[in-house]
Amino acid sequence: NGELLRWDGPLAPVRSPIFLATDEGDQQVTLGSTPLLDADAALAALDAAVAAYDNGQGEWPNLRVAERITHVERFLARMREQRTAVVKLLMWEIGKNLKDSEKEFDRTCDYIVDTIEALKALDRRSSRFELEQGTLGQIRRVPLGVALCMGPYNYPLNETFTTLIPALIMGNTVVFKPAKFGVLLIRPLLEAFRDSFPPGVINVIYGRGRETVSALMASGKVDVFAFIGTHSGAADLKKLHPRPHRLRAALGLDAKNPGIVLPSVDLDNAVSEAITGALSFNGQRCTALKILFVHEDVLDSFLDKFSAKLAELKPGMPWEPGVALTPLPEPGKVDYLKGLLEDALAKGAKIINAGGGESRESFFYPALLSPVRADMRLYNEEQFGPLVPVVPYRELDEVIDYVLQSDYGQQLSLFGNDPAQIGPLVDAFVNQVGRININAQCQRGPDSYPFNGRKNSAEGTLSVHDALRTFSIRTLVATRFT
Ligand code: G3H
């Protein structure tokens, strides 16, 4: 509610995935701590947002668009001053390498600039028009109410801000819960929030989701639920809302994006795209390629080229130049990945690359695995980490069946140069996923394009333009001349 929190309750330590050598051996770095809010404290933040919205009568939802834009521009200027601090925390909190951390920061700033421009254009179009003879129409794009925005740890800045900024700029008031890892990096921005927006318009909470977020949802006072995380987590939280039919949701959820390598493939391009697609930020991207179907005619060459290129990826600390493979922030993740690996090996898969699957502390060296089959966990489970399962195939039927039967439907990639084969595949898949990439990896960007998915992968569409619509509704004012 426009004040920095004074908190004398319990704190949660924030641990880095990075271990440093000390006289007593390698020690995990503790970066600081965050307040562990209880349900009452979280509800107080929600009440501040509810009061600022004031059932649509508050100052913020009724400001002219140009004025709300001024507030967001003020915030952006202050945010840019914190680039060094935020980038450093991206590296230390989630282990993202320097290049990608800088990219995340800059991409988020660009997203805000583009959102402002898109809103100006949208606003220009909302002029008066003749609805029918004798009736003047005007469409007013208005906010929805109080938005709860929660981001994921892999993009604690970018993903979160792609809901937070459109929610704010459209006149909603917001409660924002930073990701579990990547929480301290919001701290350098708190004063910018406080100084750029009226009290109650943006409220930041910390703590365990099962206490804080559950209480917010159960209160029935949340109108828009923006969440990037697991499908089951989103479903559990939505169920708590007493009037779920009145809740608008913008959800980015699970994915198991397949890469499909056809016999007509340009192998060098496919390997280069697939390796970045599967392993950038250690495979911890919802858009990562999480299973590769490779035609038997090109299988050996594909595996050889992939392992050779994988060997070029440099492991190390996030700030070291050229480092691609870094420590994983989720506690227990290394053991989870080992479990998936052991299951696949026990059922007949082999590790193709030297050193694949080796681990130390929070570091896990990527493993390329083949042949992966339907009875292995890696066939359907979203690994969200550096394991690359390869399924050899002879007939495309198995691949088509996989996509059609999958619970996920975010994106897929097709690698091949035979239009006679690719055209029908695109037709077969166009109703299954949110994006089809041909000869390119799966990815979200550019952020101005629709980002969505089918089945358990998403609800609603995000992009610079779509998000403005997601966080607002159109009211028609129709004036009949008498
Ligand atoms: O984790 C999901 C992100 O939206 C992925 O974005 O494809 O740009 O890495 P990206």
Side-chain angles (χ1 to χ4, degrees), residues 102-119:
E102 288 178 337
K103 190 169 151 198
E104 176 163 356
F105 188 92
D106 296 340
R107 175 181 177 182
T108 308
C109 294
D110 290 348
Y111 181 89
I112 300 174
V113 171
D114 292 348
T115 299
I116 291 169
E117 290 311 312
L119 180 55

Side-chain angles (χ1 to χ4, degrees), residues 103 107 152 154-155 158-159 228 280 284-288 384 410-411 441-445 447 451:
K103 190 169 151 198
R107 175 181 177 182
N154 62 339
Y155 281 92
N158 185 57
E159 286 271 6
I228 319 280
S280 59
Q284 301 166 120
R285 295 161 57 229
C286 60
T287 47
F384 212 76
Q410 192 200 60
Q411 299 194 13
Q441 60 168 302
C442 298
Q443 61 181 339
R444 174 176 179 154
D447 291 336
F451 182 51

